Amino acid sequence: MSLVIRRCRALCLDSGPAGPRTGAAMNELSIRDGVDVIVRGGRIESIGESLTIPPGGQVIDAHGDILLPGFVDCHTHLCWAGDRLGEWSKRLDGVPYLDILKAGGGIMSTVRAVRETPLVTLTELVRRRLDTILRHGVTTVEVKSGYGLCTEAEIKMLRATRDAAVTWPGTVVLTALLGHAIDPDVGAAKFVDRTIHETLPAVHAEFPGIAIDLFCEEGAWSLADSVRLLQTARELGHPIRAHADQFSSKGLVTEAVRLGALSVDHLEQTTPREMETLARSQTFGVGLPITSLGTTTVPHRPREGAPAFTGMTPPIKFANLRDLIDKGGRACIATNANPGSSPTYSMPFAIALAVRFCGLSIPEAITAATVNPAVMLGFHDRAVIAPGKRADLILLRHNDYRELAYELGGDPVRAVIVHGQVARYFAT
Ligand code: NIG
């Protein structure tokens, strides 16, 4: 059966050659006004004005509203158990995110919850979150493990996500975030050795070709240990990714580029020199602007001796994606959905913040949320509206694409189409 989206304003994003968009090409949305898009067999069949509507198919009249490719959210931690509400209350009292991690909370508190949660329960939790993120227009999503931090629990997380993905209409890409923190009960040296010599080979056996990821930071993985894990993963044939420069710059961007990483993510503290190194490489830079906001709080009840609440925020550091793009680099943005630093499911919110604080134009932010992350995750069949491409599409409630970035915490998605089927339609 066919599906026709009639009279839409399509952001086709199909002007350039296949591959990541860089430089000025990131601004090219290739807008086609008043077109019909015919979809059949999960693919886009044709685009044009006043096309003959195939009989018997489903028709959505867009009335001139925006149709664009489904979002590709290339950095999430959607597999978790428990919550971090108690810890968040401490953050409202002024305790920094990294201090909570160093004291054995933060990521480690979610690790304890995940270890205690049975596989079926975890699977159900992931399934629900996939449904939520779909409602916000995400049709392809990367989901990391990283709250297991021992072989059994890391494998359990990957299986839970794989099982949840079976009934989700979109596409899920798994990443093994084996170096998310250091388990203080094991100790750094032993934990790093165990991760490299036991957990990595076990993941390699069951999930060959999965990307391996880590978090290089004070209180998490050191630069030297990060390089050891990434190097070994590379030798086993895995793509590698890294959380780099979130709170401090450790030099991992340069090392990750040297090792041929697929992406370096965060980049809030990246120096101009390392941004240059990244921009000259094939490695993608992923900005996570919601996280900059999510890790910043103005203490309600300041600690002893601290100044009273004034309503002023401390300085907030966002990834300088303007610099990355101006230097010719490959830029993406993502939600970083997770219970600790980025409790969100909203790519439109990530776009709104990337435009305000990472220096992106609105078209650049849309490209960084669709075409570029699709290529980074290895998909060349989607994220543009062109005949033959996979019909993962979203219809907005708006006829001006700028609304996507203008609205803060809005609800811009009217319909989500996945592989040619209407997965969600919101009448109002
Ligand atoms: O990308 N920084 C490391 N990992 C996540 C946070 C995970 C958590 O706090 O649970 C991030 O921000």
Side-chain angles (χ1 to χ4, degrees):
M1 197 175 82
S2 63
L3 167 69
V4 183
I5 302 102
R6 288 199 62 211
R7 295 190 294 175
C8 64
R9 178 174 282 172
L11 311 186
C12 294
L13 289 123
D14 66 338
S15 65
R21 302 288 146 79
T22 56
M26 286 196 73
N27 273 309
E28 289 171 23
L29 294 179
S30 305
I31 301 174
R32 293 185 66 181
D33 258 330
V35 290
D36 303 331
V37 176
I38 300 183
V39 168
R40 205 192 300 266
R43 309 251 148 208
I44 296 165
E45 188 176 87
S46 49
I47 308 160
E49 282 172 38
S50 307
L51 296 180
T52 306
I53 308 296
Q58 191 177 0
V59 178
I60 298 177
D61 195 333
H63 297 287
D65 283 345
I66 299 285
L67 185 78
L68 76 158
F71 296 126
V72 178
D73 192 350
C74 66
H75 184 133
T76 83
H77 306 250
L78 286 181
C79 183
W80 83 81
D83 66 64
R84 301 267 280 279
L85 290 168
E87 164 190 309
W88 187 61
S89 300
K90 282 192 199 155
R91 296 210 344 245
L92 291 177
D93 287 345
V95 185
Y97 176 89
L98 274 187
D99 287 9
I100 293 173
L101 177 62
K102 283 179 198 154
I107 293 169
M108 286 313 302
S109 79
T110 303
V111 167
R112 288 187 286 276
V114 163
R115 286 178 183 167
E116 283 166 11
T117 303
L119 174 68
V120 280
T121 313
L122 207 50
T123 305
E124 187 50 34
L125 288 168
V126 179
R127 192 172 287 139
R128 275 189 234 157
R129 292 182 192 127
L130 288 173
D131 275 343
T132 307
I133 210 156
L134 182 97
R135 281 193 256 130
H136 290 273
V138 172
T139 52
T140 298
V141 65
E142 180 261 18
V143 181
K144 300 175 193 298
S145 65
Y147 294 122
L149 300 189
C150 64
T151 305
E152 190 194 342
E154 282 296 310
I155 296 272
K156 177 173 70 176
M157 289 188 75
L158 293 169
R159 287 179 184 162
T161 306
R162 183 181 61 190
D163 293 352
V166 171
T167 52
W168 195 59
T171 308
V172 176
V173 176
L174 299 179
T175 295
L177 174 50
L178 303 186
H180 200 188
I182 299 287
D183 185 342
D185 294 339
V186 179
K190 199 166 162 206
F191 180 77
V192 169
D193 274 350
R194 191 181 76 181
T195 304
I196 294 175
H197 299 300
E198 182 194 307
T199 311
L200 176 59
V203 167
H204 174 73
E206 187 167 337
F207 299 91
I210 194 173
I212 304 297
D213 198 346
L214 55 75
F215 177 32
C216 179
E217 189 53 76
E218 293 303 330
W221 280 57
S222 70
L223 177 63
D225 290 337
S226 298
V227 171
R228 272 181 67 203
L229 174 57
L230 295 179
Q231 177 108 45
T232 314
R234 220 52 194 111
E235 284 160 10
L236 285 171
H238 293 274
I240 52 172
R241 301 184 61 178
H243 292 57
D245 300 349
Q246 182 176 5
F247 298 103
S248 59
S249 175
K250 296 272 175 265
L252 185 67
V253 169
T254 301
E255 291 299 318
V257 165
R258 182 179 66 77
L259 292 167
L262 204 51
S263 76
V264 280
D265 305 44
H266 273 294
L267 308 177
E268 291 88 335
Q269 309 293 336
T270 303
T271 61
R273 227 168 93 201
E274 284 207 290
M275 205 59 105
E276 176 92 42
T277 304
L278 175 59
R280 287 171 185 273
S281 77
Q282 312 272 295
T283 301
F284 287 79
V286 182
L288 309 167
I290 301 176
T291 308
S292 299
L293 211 57
T295 49
T296 308
T297 44
V298 184
H300 291 186
R301 283 174 282 130
R303 283 185 281 185
E304 198 67 21
F309 180 84
T310 63
M312 291 283 288
T313 64
I316 307 180
K317 198 73 177 67
F318 290 86
N320 186 349
L321 297 181
R322 179 75 271 133
D323 193 29
L324 178 64
I325 293 170
D326 286 347
K327 286 172 170 160
R330 303 174 166 194
C332 302
I333 55 173
T335 62
N336 192 19
N338 77 73
S341 68
S342 197
T344 182
Y345 298 95
S346 176
M347 278 300 273
F349 192 45
I351 289 172
L353 294 187
V355 167
R356 282 170 179 79
F357 304 119
C358 298
L360 300 194
S361 67
I362 301 170
E364 285 172 336
I366 292 172
T367 303
T370 52
V371 183
N372 279 2
V375 174
M376 192 264 275
L377 293 177
F379 298 110
H380 296 274
D381 64 342
R382 65 195 67 189
V384 299
I385 301 183
K389 296 293 181 185
R390 184 179 155 106
D392 285 354
L393 304 164
I394 48 185
L395 179 65
L396 301 188
R397 303 179 193 285
H398 305 292
N399 59 20
D400 188 326
Y401 71 83
R402 293 175 297 180
E403 293 272 5
L404 248 189
Y406 171 68
E407 281 189 335
L408 286 170
D411 183 19
V413 176
R414 171 146 58 111
V416 185
I417 295 151
V418 186
H419 203 214
Q421 305 288 322
V422 180
R424 291 288 177 280
Y425 185 86
F426 307 99
T428 51

